[in-house]
Amino acid sequence: KKKHQTLRVIDDDMVSQFAIRYRIQQSIHYCQLMEFYSVEEALFAFNECSEIKKCLPDKILLDLLLPGMDGWSFLEEIGKIQLGFWPIDIYVV
């Protein structure tokens, strides 16, 4: 049985979101994908997941150039959330 992957995409560009979603759906058949258009939105969701220790992603695809809080800020803030119990791979897109 293949492992179910959970991926999160943080990117403010709708075209990039579409292209990433399309490629993932074509190549990973056991995948739960969630998309965020801002760092703030993603951090809110990760904080909630961290509190209940559920729904944390296996991988994050991160755009570094975002309005407001950028990808670099996300990397700093995600380190402050108690995620040590769940290893997450972060890929810059």
Side-chain angles (χ1 to χ4, degrees), residues 72-90:
W72 296 108
S73 299
F74 173 81
L75 293 172
E76 289 176 20
E77 293 299 317
I78 199 76
K80 295 176 185 175
I81 300 172
Q82 297 298 317
L83 298 175
F85 57 87
W86 192 281
I88 300 173
D89 295 327
I90 300 175

Side-chain angles (χ1 to χ4, degrees), residues 8-88:
R8 304 296 182 257
V9 178
I10 305 170
D11 195 327
D12 64 322
D13 181 37
M14 291 176 76
V15 174
S16 294
Q17 288 266 11
F18 175 80
I20 290 168
R21 181 180 342 106
Y22 178 80
R23 183 64 185 131
I24 287 171
Q25 289 172 341
Q26 296 300 311
S27 59
I28 304 173
H29 300 287
Y30 302 97
C31 179
Q32 178 201 25
L33 179 66
M34 186 178 289
E35 300 157 317
F36 301 101
Y37 290 95
S38 73
V39 166
E40 295 86 354
E41 180 185 15
L43 287 172
F44 179 80
F46 292 147
N47 269 315
E48 287 186 335
C49 290
S50 177
E51 288 175 9
I52 61 172
K53 294 183 175 39
K54 286 188 177 181
C55 69
L56 289 165
D58 298 303
K59 294 176 178 50
I60 297 171
L61 305 177
L62 174 65
D63 180 10
L64 291 178
L65 302 174
L66 295 159
M69 288 183 75
D70 61 11
W72 296 108
S73 299
F74 173 81
L75 293 172
E76 289 176 20
E77 293 299 317
I78 199 76
K80 295 176 185 175
I81 300 172
Q82 297 298 317
L83 298 175
F85 57 87
W86 192 281
I88 300 173

